Amino acid sequence: MIYRIDDAFRGFSLVWTPVLLARDLATTPVAVCVSGTNVVLFRDVTGAAKALLDRCPHRGVKLSLGRVENGCLTCPFHGWRFDGSGACVRVPWHPDAKRELLSATALSTRELGGFVWIYTAPGVSPSTEPSLPSELLRDDVTLFGDTFTWRAHWTRAVENMVDDSHLPFVHPRTIGRGMQKHVDSRLSLDVDEHDWGFSWTVVIDGQRADWSSELRFPNVSLLRIPGPPGKRLGICFAAIPAEEGAVRILQLGYRDFATWRVFDPIFKWINRRVLLEDQAVVESSPPGPVPPPSEESSVATDVIGLRFRKRVLTELLRQGPSSPTPG
């Protein structure tokens, strides 16, 4: 566990990231590990998602072992109670305690598009908001999700999600089946660069494919899949660094057809099968982060992965301990 606040989220600080499917945060606290830093999430009295570092300022125990009472989180050890801002609102046996000096450490939190997001800088009020695909914010789509844990570095998981050329080889009986007949053709990517990342479409022998993708830096990708005519179908992936050597994959699909919840298990089964195919391959890659682009052989279809590598190596993996000024 990280104890020094200025060491929190080392190598992944100062970014918005999903950490949980919103449906998985109910009436009890939920513990997650993000880049080696323990976080507890809970809902306040209004139902809003809140996040604190998972450490009581009194004796360092995990607040996630406690319970939510009247929208506040009660420590399981001595009963200290904290609201969503981290403020200490109760100290048993000490009615005159200077509670303003006994706060827990809060994280900026948002609930958007079926995810709960945190900003990975304790005590900071960020100047930005989470960047997410617009499809997840539509009122006319049904969201369905799942969570997986892989033994791999999060950067390897992201590169897998943005790599189109592996589809006929890793997924020959699922989403890559239709590409098998084209593997001797020329595949290229029509790429657009944005403030938030990249979007692209596959082009095979001059013909644009009927799916498209995007990567929202640092770790959220989207695959838009052909559905029934005029209908929307897609899968959003978030690769969250967890404890050392592990990445948590949040998979959130959307559709605007077959919207009854009775169909969710079918869509989830298909997506789970695809992710299990990816997992076997990604877990066989070297355990550390993706290396500089010059250290592995690459070809033109690796353009998205190479741009991701350059940016993540420059902006995140070279970070030292973060010590931002609280806002």
Side-chain angles (χ1 to χ4, degrees):
M1 176 187 293
I2 286 178
Y3 290 97
R4 287 173 51 86
I5 289 178
D6 60 358
D7 275 347
F9 308 107
R10 183 188 290 267
F12 200 71
S13 64
L14 301 170
V15 295
W16 282 106
T17 180
V19 292
L20 198 68
L21 298 177
R23 64 158 201 207
D24 292 336
L25 185 60
T27 58
T28 57
V30 176
V32 297
C33 182
V34 181
S35 197
T37 300
N38 292 317
V39 176
V40 57
L41 298 113
F42 64 100
R43 293 194 181 277
D44 68 11
V45 70
T46 70
K50 300 295 180 180
L52 307 175
L53 292 187
D54 196 4
R55 177 178 181 270
C56 182
H58 181 208
R59 288 297 180 264
V61 305
K62 287 189 173 183
L63 293 170
S64 58
L65 298 176
R67 60 187 182 275
V68 179
E69 299 179 290
N70 298 319
C72 296
L73 189 56
T74 299
C75 177
F77 199 3
H78 296 98
W80 289 25
R81 189 175 296 170
F82 306 93
D83 67 15
S85 72
C88 183
V89 298
R90 181 172 183 257
V91 182
W93 312 118
H94 298 276
D96 299 324
K98 295 183 178 180
R99 295 195 303 270
E100 65 274 12
L101 303 178
L102 305 177
S103 298
T105 303
L107 300 164
S108 292
T109 311
R110 302 286 188 273
E111 185 172 343
L112 287 171
F115 290 123
V116 177
W117 305 68
I118 66 168
Y119 190 70
T120 57
V124 169
S125 297
S127 60
T128 61
E129 291 296 319
S131 176
L132 68 163
S134 60
E135 288 89 343
L136 300 183
L137 299 173
R138 296 180 63 96
D139 294 331
D140 59 347
V141 300
T142 296
L143 302 179
F144 54 99
D146 226 334
T147 303
F148 306 83
T149 299
W150 294 358
R151 301 306 303 178
H153 196 272
W154 72 273
T155 55
R156 293 287 185 178
V158 171
E159 278 207 346
N160 172 76
M161 302 305 178
V162 302
D163 183 337
D164 295 278
S165 62
H166 80 274
L167 297 180
F169 307 103
V170 178
H171 310 290
R173 292 177 297 278
T174 54
I175 60 174
R177 187 184 322 177
M179 293 181 68
Q180 288 183 305
K181 61 185 178 182
H182 298 294
V183 296
D184 292 319
S185 302
R186 183 179 299 278
L187 187 150
S188 60
L189 302 179
D190 186 357
V191 182
D192 290 313
E193 193 159 352
H194 310 271
D195 290 342
W196 45 259
F198 312 100
S199 60
W200 66 97
T201 303
V202 168
V203 179
I204 300 176
D205 281 345
Q207 298 295 315
R208 291 171 65 89
D210 55 1
W211 73 90
S212 63
S213 306
E214 63 182 48
L215 171 63
R216 291 179 180 261
F217 189 80
N219 62 334
V220 177
S221 61
L222 177 69
L223 174 62
R224 296 182 179 89
I225 306 169
K231 298 298 182 180
R232 293 180 175 85
L233 174 65
I235 311 172
C236 186
F237 303 94
I240 299 97
E243 68 274 7
E244 185 175 358
V247 56
R248 232 163 2 100
I249 308 292
L250 302 183
Q251 178 184 272
L252 190 62
Y254 66 86
R255 65 185 191 273
D256 65 354
F257 61 96
T259 55
W260 289 357
R261 287 298 181 186
V262 69
F263 295 115
D264 283 2
I266 299 172
F267 287 95
K268 290 173 65 175
W269 179 84
I270 295 170
N271 291 346
R272 189 178 301 118
R273 181 180 176 186
V274 172
L275 263 290
L276 288 173
E277 293 169 344
D278 282 316
Q279 181 177 0
V281 174
V282 174
E283 288 187 338
S284 73
S285 63
V290 292
S294 61
E295 293 188 12
E296 289 183 343
S297 299
S298 298
V299 291
T301 51
D302 297 316
V303 58
I304 300 297
L306 293 177
R307 292 187 186 186
F308 165 73
R309 285 189 184 192
K310 181 177 180 180
R311 186 167 175 182
V312 78
L313 288 167
T314 301
E315 298 184 26
L316 289 178
L317 297 184
R318 292 180 183 173
Q319 290 175 353
S322 60
S323 53
T325 301

